[in-house]
Amino acid sequence: MKCMHCKSNMEYKTTPYQINRKGYHLMLEAVPAWVCTQCGEVYFEENEVDVIQDMLTTLDDRTGKLAFAV
């Protein structure tokens, strides 16, 4: 597989993923992905994207139910 950014080779390995969103921080230490050997660009396959999106949806729903003192 070739990187769409720099056209170098991609390796299938694990990479961290993190996001700050709606008052929470999600960090996954080792998500399978294609990583460019030259520029470090990361591409996740459909299954990994679906799992991450499911996590974010669940966290959005659950954190929305928290009551915050003002």
Side-chain angles (χ1 to χ4, degrees):
M1 181 173 189
K2 296 287 184 184
C3 176
M4 291 171 47
H5 181 70
C6 74
K7 309 298 183 223
S8 195
N9 290 325
M10 306 285 286
E11 287 183 350
Y12 194 69
K13 57 185 187 177
T14 61
T15 188
Y17 174 82
Q18 60 184 349
I19 186 170
N20 293 313
R21 179 180 164 124
K22 297 184 180 182
Y24 63 84
H25 179 79
L26 173 65
M27 181 171 179
L28 304 172
E29 292 184 11
V31 180
W34 290 97
V35 181
C36 180
T37 57
Q38 182 172 323
C39 72
E41 186 76 15
V42 175
Y43 303 123
F44 295 108
E45 291 194 350
E46 184 177 359
N47 182 59
E48 285 71 31
V49 171
D50 290 343
V51 171
I52 292 169
Q53 287 179 335
D54 288 345
M55 284 185 207
L56 293 172
T57 299
T58 300
L59 285 169
D60 287 346
D61 292 344
R62 303 294 263 164
T63 58
K65 295 176 182 179
L66 291 174
F68 294 97
V70 179

